[in-house]
Amino acid sequence: MELTKEQLMIQKMAREFAAKDLAPQAEERDRNHEYPAESLRKMGELGLLGMLVPEQYGGEDMDTVSYALAMSEVAYACASTAVIMSVHNSICCGSLIRFGTEEQRTRYLIPMAKGEIIGSFALSEPEAGSDPASMEMTARKDGDYYILNGTKRWITGGATSGVFIVLAKTDPDAGHKGISAFLVTKDMEGFATGRLEDKMGQCASDTTDLIFSECKVPADHLLGSEGDGFVVAMSGLDDGRIGIAALSLGLGQAALDQAVAYSKQRVQFGRPIADNQGLRWMIADMATDVEAARLLVLNAAAKKDRGEKCSKEASMAKLYASEMANRVAGQAIQIHGGYGYTREFPVERFYRDARVLTIYEGTSQIQKIVIANHVISDRKKRKKK
Ligand code: CAA
């Protein structure tokens, strides 16, 4: 796929920022579980936190291909920063653009587009991960408020974000059609951050529970109409999965580049290990894997930019790229041998950071359900014609 001049410029800008600002600190932040607040502030100034937001709301109004390119560059340096960027841009800003009222957009989208408020998405619960329609959290209308009760789990940015899109059941007997979406801020009565997860990877981004006890959310903070929540979440995840696929691509590319560099400088048996055919074949497989993921990511993004429905392509890109990142990060460790198993080289961090990619925003198995549903119903439609 040929990129436009503008897309190449955005890629270059994100690459330079990530190399200068994110990469040098990524290792330390991972080790200290340190949130990249200052980098996010700079990303806001550069427009990386309002990439898909229309100009009238202070955003950059860019295409999804540019967004995916920038996401990969950020992830190349720091996957923790990239996941914050993805949830914020794709699901949170995206849902406000699609479902927000003018007042909600003015109040939240404008500061979000500048990175002054970071957004998080609260769908999962202790007993409702892959099957969000079975959530237990409730929201009941009480005068000018909705009263929210329940617990959300594994929320990226739970301790650090300023605004949350929270899904809750306004009609518990109506299955997925009884779910509604709300904009919730930290200062709302009855809202608290719960336990902080002790994670394997992406340690510079916090993941927490959110606890709602008779939480009072003003009625005008309902996003969309009552009962729209499942569609808010699913359409948000279509965009989100392109973001996570692009993140996976950046991480896979970083692992490949690091493995290539190491294989050229590591000498064994009197020659660089890159001269050995066994290793060259590994690198050929890794590079092909990265390239295949790139094409799927760009294809999904381009389809979205054409205004076409892209759930299937987003799931294909997310499935393939996240699995690829795990394969390639694992191979990169293998190429580094004993050194790869230590913290001396970044491949150890890449390997840990990659692991969650096949889990969050829909496991690989969930992506296969989405893909199969589309492929099978597309076939039925073709037969009917
Ligand atoms: N866009 C718009 N609407 C959609 C849609 C989409 N992509 N997908 C489904 N819908 C609609 C359907 O049209 C249907 O509407 P009707 O009832 O009006 O016909 C409705 O939603 C229900 O669809 P399904 O019957 O397909 O729903 P389901 O309950 O069988 O679930 C699923 C489908 C794909 C398995 C879905 O539950 C799913 O994606 N699960 C995974 C959840 C997930 O990804 N969680 C990640 C948490 S977020 C996260 O990780 C963020 C982070 O912090 C990093």
Side-chain angles (χ1 to χ4, degrees), residues 83 86-87 91 99 120-124 128-134 153-157 176-177 202 207 230-238 241 244 309-312 315 318 356 359-363 366-367 369-370 373-374:
V83 71
S86 180
V87 174
I91 311 188
F99 294 94
S120 278
F121 177 61
L123 176 66
S124 303
S130 290
D131 179 17
S134 69
R153 179 146 295 172
W154 306 302
I155 307 309
T156 301
H176 70 265
K177 288 188 195 296
Q202 303 198 2
T207 304
F230 199 76
V231 174
V232 171
M234 289 301 126
S235 52
L237 283 167
D238 282 349
R241 287 165 184 166
I244 300 301
K309 186 107 182 71
C310 64
S311 312
K312 180 181 72 178
S315 281
K318 203 276 187 180
V356 73
I359 298 171
Y360 62 24
E361 301 218 5
T363 61
I366 288 293
Q367 307 310 327
I369 291 176
V370 175
N373 285 347
H374 279 274

Side-chain angles (χ1 to χ4, degrees), residues 17-18 28 35 42 60 62 76 110 132 204 265 329 337 349 352 372 381:
F17 166 76
E28 202 182 321
Y35 186 73
K42 288 185 192 159
E60 302 299 316
M62 284 176 194
Y76 187 93
I110 292 176
Q265 56 120 90
R349 172 168 53 89
R352 285 185 291 105
K381 273 185 223 150

Side-chain angles (χ1 to χ4, degrees), residues 198-247:
D198 188 6
K199 297 184 297 180
M200 172 182 182
Q202 303 198 2
C203 295
S205 101
D206 55 295
T207 304
T208 74
D209 277 4
L210 299 179
I211 298 160
F212 300 83
S213 317
E214 294 288 292
C215 174
K216 280 178 83 176
V217 178
D220 63 1
H221 280 53
L222 175 71
L223 186 60
S225 303
E226 269 194 28
D228 279 352
F230 199 76
V231 174
V232 171
M234 289 301 126
S235 52
L237 283 167
D238 282 349
D239 291 0
R241 287 165 184 166
I242 297 177
I244 300 301
L247 187 170

